Amino acid sequence: MDRDTILAVIVGQIREVVPELAERPIVETESMAELGLDSIERSEIIMNTLEAIGLDLPMVQLHGPKNLGELADLLHAKSRT
Amino acid sequence: MDLAAGIEALNVYGGAASLDVRQLCLHRGLDMPRFDNLLMREKTVALPFEDPVTFAVNAAKPLVDALSAKDRSRIEMVVTCTESGIDFGKSLSTYIHHYLGLAGNCRLFEIKQACYSGTAGLQMAVNFILSGTSPGAKALVICTDLSRFALADAAAVQEWAYSEPSSGAGAVAMLVSDTPHVLRIDQGAYGNHGFEVMDTCRPGPDTEAGDADLSLMAYLDCCERAFKDYARRVDGADFRDTFAYLCFHTPFGGMVKGAHRHLMRKLFKAKPDDIEADFVRRLSPSLSLGQRVGNTAGGSVFLGLAGLLESIDLAAPCRVGLFSYGSGCCSEFYSGVVTPDGQSRLRAQAISAQLDRRHLLSLDQYEELLKGTQVIRFGQKDASIAPDTIPAAWEAYQGQGRLALEGMVGYHRQYRFV
């Protein structure tokens, strides 16, 4: 799965977990915190994304990205190893 | 027949004062549009005349007082589990042992591993009983923690912001023996997972730092892997079917809900409606006391057990799954059996009724307490405490045989039952 598809999956999961964001444009330079998501919602979105792209990794390996684009880059890198 | 071991009696002490957490969040300007999902209501705030020793003694004294002199003399180990230590050398257990009037032939020590400490202490005590080296002996395991940080300036408030709403105070005392009326531990049924991670820490006596995302991720990883280790050891263990109820370490309710959802999806690919129904049925009863006291660190999983036993209808013995996590990190999934008899014994402690009697702090009173001018600090040599900083709270505290901190003389803490 390419990086932009992974980004689209992340954005899709954000809109599913927080339906209030369904209509709001979301760009990759934004972070989940900037979108108003709390830590529980952020972890749920990461978990759902892992499931959707078929990755099984410890969650702590996905700590660190500062925005959605960086998270997509990291997931993309992990999916190739 | 196997020896039985586990918790004979359990009591919670939830402090003298509380704060409304929603009001605190509004006051701090925290934007929490879905605050209700975090499942927080109140938290206990320690007053200047309270410290980890007074919390511990107030939790344990009713249990010790209820014993015959003969049984009391069989308490041969006092383990204090805490991340709120008051000295690098002398353990809290020495003070607690003294104020409970216990016999001298007793092991006294303190253990630390963030919020995992209580389970570590319980397992040490259970294994002491199971070892059979002192038949009929009892151990007292006390989890006591309070968050009281020196928020001298805006930077300190900011550093603590990630956990200020959830940080509480409280103590849980457990008498561990071969007559485990409250929780009979399933022998050999446990699983661990631990690894080095810097998720939250207390780098100084009056500071706490951490990363909410990393802490949650480590908790989720541990919950899954500790259960899988449990399942490796226990033939036929099934997360959905083996346990009638669950108690998880509860930094705040929303985190437990997230961990349950994580496990149900990972293990069973369960659907959201099924996950929600299972959470409400098996886990939510354990949140009833934690929602009122806040995170009590090492004691929180046992606060969950007490809340569960206070709130469920229990007609027959059933199995409870327990999960403990301590930052840094170490975790354990284990289980035990509760009975209607144990439930009546626990309910006799009237824990919720005691929480109802706490003094509700105004935000002004809370902010004044945070300045910490009335509080004894780590390393202080001499001090005396004016107990009536909040007169109504001090008034209500007296007359119930509770322990209060009066001051320090040459580093030695001075207490008095009031």
Side-chain angles (χ1 to χ4, degrees):
Chain A
M1 196 176 286
D2 65 47
R3 182 256 188 208
D4 287 345
T5 309
I6 292 173
L7 181 63
V9 170
I10 297 169
V11 171
Q13 293 298 342
I14 290 172
R15 294 200 162 112
E16 194 171 318
V17 169
V18 186
E20 293 97 306
L21 296 175
E23 304 299 322
R24 184 193 182 288
I26 295 173
V27 295
E28 65 173 86
T29 51
E30 288 179 299
S31 69
M32 288 198 262
E34 286 163 355
L35 292 169
L37 308 185
D38 62 44
S39 60
I40 305 295
E41 292 162 342
R42 298 196 286 266
S43 73
E44 187 180 1
I45 287 156
I46 292 176
M47 178 180 75
N48 294 357
T49 302
L50 284 172
E51 199 177 300
I53 65 179
L55 266 182
D56 188 8
L57 292 171
M59 294 286 283
V60 291
Q61 290 190 16
L62 300 173
H63 181 258
K66 304 269 186 297
N67 57 41
L68 301 179
E70 288 185 17
L71 179 60
D73 289 338
L74 179 61
L75 285 169
H76 183 242
K78 295 280 183 191
S79 69
R80 291 159 63 89
T81 55
Chain B
M1 189 187 149
D2 281 348
L3 260 178
I7 303 171
E8 175 182 325
L10 186 155
N11 189 37
V12 171
Y13 179 69
S18 65
L19 185 71
D20 183 297
V21 173
R22 183 190 293 271
Q23 275 190 19
L24 172 66
C25 290
L26 290 172
H27 178 67
R28 289 275 181 258
L30 294 177
D31 181 24
M32 297 172 126
R34 292 167 296 281
F35 178 82
D36 290 341
N37 293 346
L38 301 178
L39 304 174
M40 294 192 274
R41 285 172 55 201
E42 303 162 0
K43 67 175 202 159
T44 288
V45 179
L47 297 175
F49 57 82
E50 298 183 295
D51 75 356
V53 173
T54 68
F55 269 88
V57 170
N58 291 336
K61 196 163 188 303
L63 303 184
V64 172
D65 287 351
L67 294 174
S68 66
K70 182 165 171 276
D71 279 349
R72 203 175 310 155
S73 73
R74 295 309 314 273
I75 296 177
E76 297 178 7
M77 186 155 99
V78 177
V79 190
T80 309
C81 314
T82 189
E83 56 182 281
S84 313
I86 55 175
D87 189 282
F88 283 125
K90 180 177 166 66
S91 79
L92 286 166
S93 293
T94 58
Y95 283 110
I96 294 164
H97 174 266
H98 173 71
Y99 285 100
L100 292 175
L102 301 178
N105 61 322
C106 194
R107 288 180 178 142
L108 306 176
F109 59 98
E110 180 179 313
I111 57 174
K112 168 178 74 184
Q113 178 32 59
C115 304
Y116 173 67
S117 67
T119 289
L122 175 64
Q123 293 291 23
M124 294 309 103
V126 164
N127 284 296
F128 165 56
I129 302 302
L130 291 176
S131 74
T133 51
S134 184
K138 298 178 191 294
L140 190 57
V141 176
I142 307 178
C143 310
T144 181
D145 267 294
L146 49 89
S147 45
R148 178 153 63 198
F149 303 112
L151 300 185
D153 53 40
V157 171
Q158 182 59 36
E159 181 144 87
W160 194 35
Y162 82 99
S163 72
E164 186 190 11
S166 59
S167 294
V172 181
M174 297 176 281
L175 193 62
V176 177
S177 75
D178 58 3
T179 50
H181 303 300
V182 173
L183 180 77
R184 179 183 167 139
I185 291 283
D186 293 326
Q187 289 178 36
Y190 66 95
N192 294 107
H193 190 70
F195 59 98
E196 201 281 321
V197 62
M198 195 60 174
D199 56 340
T200 75
C201 62
R202 287 191 176 185
D206 299 324
T207 54
E208 180 168 312
D211 181 312
D213 286 279
L214 186 56
S215 188
L216 178 54
M217 287 169 159
Y219 184 104
L220 296 176
D221 286 339
C222 280
C223 191
E224 178 190 344
R225 284 165 175 75
F227 175 73
K228 285 179 173 170
D229 190 46
Y230 176 99
R232 179 181 67 79
R233 291 179 188 275
V234 181
D235 277 347
D238 182 289
F239 182 71
R240 263 191 305 205
D241 300 333
T242 302
F243 317 103
Y245 295 98
L246 297 162
C247 295
F248 283 13
H249 163 54
T250 309
F252 55 95
M255 194 149 158
V256 170
K257 192 168 185 179
H260 171 262
R261 179 171 52 226
H262 182 83
L263 219 49
M264 293 291 283
R265 284 189 75 133
K266 277 262 180 166
L267 296 173
F268 307 109
K269 298 202 183 306
K271 299 285 174 249
D273 288 353
D274 295 338
I275 295 174
E276 177 69 21
D278 188 68
F279 173 79
V280 169
R281 184 169 59 84
R282 291 199 300 157
L283 243 173
S284 65
S286 74
L287 303 181
S288 58
L289 295 176
Q291 278 186 322
R292 306 196 55 197
V293 176
N295 184 4
T296 48
S300 114
V301 65
F302 308 113
L303 203 76
L305 179 64
L308 174 77
L309 289 173
E310 269 207 348
S311 54
I312 57 171
D313 290 323
L314 189 60
C318 68
R319 177 156 284 114
V320 177
L322 300 110
F323 172 66
S324 175
Y325 170 84
S327 288
C329 69
C330 185
S331 68
E332 183 154 338
F333 194 100
Y334 55 114
S335 61
V337 174
V338 295
T339 65
D341 169 55
Q343 179 177 44
S344 328
R345 289 166 185 264
L346 187 282
R347 282 180 172 170
Q349 306 292 347
I351 296 164
S352 288
Q354 181 232 113
L355 296 182
D356 292 342
R357 290 194 290 272
R358 291 172 302 172
H359 175 80
L360 179 62
L361 294 168
S362 68
L363 283 165
D364 286 345
Q365 287 174 327
Y366 175 69
E367 291 282 22
E368 194 57 36
L369 286 171
L370 282 189
K371 287 182 189 163
T373 49
Q374 299 294 324
V375 172
I376 288 180
R377 290 295 173 195
F378 194 96
Q380 204 165 333
K381 188 171 182 182
D382 295 292
S384 62
I385 284 176
D388 54 351
T389 322
I390 296 167
W394 174 238
E395 187 67 31
Y397 192 76
Q398 299 172 84
Q400 298 171 71
R402 290 178 180 165
L403 196 65
L405 175 63
E406 289 197 301
M408 306 277 280
V409 178
Y411 302 114
H412 194 201
R413 290 192 178 221
Q414 310 291 310
Y415 300 91
R416 181 168 65 96
F417 283 105
V418 296

